[in-house]
Amino acid sequence: MKKVLVLEDESNIRSFVVINLKRAGYEAIEAETGEEALAQLRRNPDIKVALLDIMLPDMDGFEVCRRIRASDSQIGIIMLTARTQEMDKITGLMTGADDYVTKPFSPAELTARIDALYRRTGGGEKESSAEISQPPFLLNTRNQTLEKNGQRVKLTPVEYSIIKLFMEKPGQALSREEILDTVWGRDYFGELKIVDVNIRRLRIKIEDNPQKPVYITTVWGYGYKWGF
Ligand code: CA
């Protein structure tokens, strides 16, 4: 059974989410507080996707996200944000979330997002070719890992997908739309801005100087290029 953590302190929203997840074939692991969510993740290491509400009684959802990411770069994280919390989306993505869903959301939208993230994190379809080497980077597509100068760079599933796309198309300008379509899927409901936020975070992880990126360069008014 595919497990999804649902962290939401409002019981009516939580039940709504849980019912719809069950209908879509997921097993929902529920938590009402940040501490409870972290405990559930320790108890259920096979949880592949976590839905995190932001306003919680003990700590905010960003803190939960940060703590999860401190030990787990593989799990998919979706923040549940209120419509007015525009900044929250950005903050959430910068703390390591892969996606966000704005309340109120439809069950179809939520499960589409979870399905998409699950496909990326599940690693169900293993590929035969194992490595792409572009010094100083080495991408292992079997383990879904990236090394820079022999040092492992911890990536979220979304960051990994972006790097993989870049390394498969070195020196090619990729439009933000193309990156969004390839990484998030054509049925994605979100905005182009999510591409920029993830690129910003990736630069912090892989560039020697994120202010003056040389690996991921900006193609003004268009998108990005893997600078090889
Ligand atoms: Ca709440």
Side-chain angles (χ1 to χ4, degrees), residues 8-10 53-56 103:
E8 168 64 76
D9 59 321
E10 283 164 69
D53 183 33
I54 292 169
M55 300 287 283
L56 297 162
K103 295 180 194 175

Side-chain angles (χ1 to χ4, degrees), residues 69 73-75 92-98 117 120-121 139 144-146 153-167 179 183-184 194-195 197-206 216 226:
R69 276 285 177 253
S73 59
Q74 296 291 314
I75 191 171
L93 293 166
M94 290 308 285
T95 54
D98 298 293
L117 202 48
R120 285 200 302 273
T121 56
L139 188 79
Q144 308 205 340
T145 55
L146 178 74
V153 181
K154 279 193 173 182
L155 298 179
T156 68
V158 164
E159 291 164 355
Y160 168 81
S161 301
I162 295 173
I163 284 286
K164 181 163 176 281
L165 174 65
F166 278 141
M167 290 182 76
I179 298 171
V183 174
W184 280 266
I194 199 172
V195 174
V197 176
N198 272 277
I199 296 285
R200 216 155 84 204
R201 207 169 61 200
L202 258 175
R203 279 173 168 161
I204 292 170
K205 293 188 178 183
I206 67 165
I216 303 175
W226 186 238

